[in-house]
Amino acid sequence: MDGLAWLEKLKESFASTGLDYEDLYELIEAAIARGRTNFPAFIYDASRGVGLSVSEGFFYSLDQDWDNPEDFSEVNFFLGEVETSSLPVPDYVSLMKIAAHVYSTFFPNDGGAVLRSAERLEKRYSNKFLV
C-alpha cells in the first residue's frame, strides 16, 4: 500500500538529515493513521501557520495557534499537557520540504499542490527565521 510505503520512505528520509525529526514524524503518522487529516491538508494548513491536534493532548503549534503570533520562535510538540520537544523553525521547514517531495513522488496527482504548499510554508517563515 502506497500510504504505508510513503510513510516508511519519509521516516528514512527524515532520519538521513540528522535533524530531530521524531515528534514531527510521529505526529504526521498518527494524524494519517487515525484519519484526522491527509498530508496535502496537513502541509496546506502548515503553510497558513496552523498546527494540528491529532487527539486530546497530542498536537503541535505554529504561529497562528499562538495568542501573540509575533512571539512564535520554534515549533512545539505536545503529548498530554507537557511540551515533549521543540524544533527550530528552519529545521521544521526543511523537514516539511522533504516530506512534500517524498509525498509527491508516491502521489504525483497531488504532488503539485503539495509542493506549492511547501513553497508557501518556506516563504511564510523565510523572512523571520531563514537566512
Side-chain angles (χ1 to χ4, degrees):
M1 167 189 264
D2 278 345
L4 297 177
W6 100 266
L7 286 170
E8 188 55 41
K9 179 63 176 173
L10 178 62
K11 189 172 189 175
E12 291 171 13
S13 297
F14 277 3
S16 72
T17 66
L19 299 174
D20 183 17
Y21 70 91
E22 290 84 359
D23 284 346
L24 177 60
Y25 176 79
E26 292 300 323
L27 193 113
I28 292 170
E29 181 184 49
I32 291 169
R34 295 177 186 182
R36 175 67 180 90
T37 193
N38 58 38
F39 187 72
F42 183 89
I43 195 166
Y44 175 77
D45 286 347
S47 75
R48 293 175 30 244
V50 177
L52 176 76
S53 176
V54 174
S55 62
E56 182 74 29
F58 184 24
F59 64 97
Y60 87 115
S61 64
L62 294 174
D63 61 301
Q64 293 305 299
D65 302 312
W66 287 53
D67 290 336
N68 296 310
E70 63 278 358
D71 292 339
F72 174 74
S73 62
E74 60 190 5
V75 179
N76 299 301
F77 296 88
F78 295 85
L79 184 54
E81 297 303 316
V82 177
E83 181 179 336
T84 57
S85 71
S86 60
L87 194 59
V89 174
D91 291 357
Y92 169 76
V93 170
S94 293
L95 291 168
M96 290 295 282
K97 286 173 54 182
I98 289 168
H101 285 284
V102 170
Y103 186 88
S104 66
T105 300
F106 281 84
F107 303 100
N109 290 342
D110 293 332
V114 165
L115 293 171
R116 282 189 300 279
S117 289
E119 289 171 15
R120 282 191 304 274
L121 176 71
E122 183 175 32
K123 261 187 202 161
R124 174 177 198 86
Y125 296 118
S126 65
N127 292 339
K128 187 172 179 183
F129 298 103
L130 304 175
V131 244

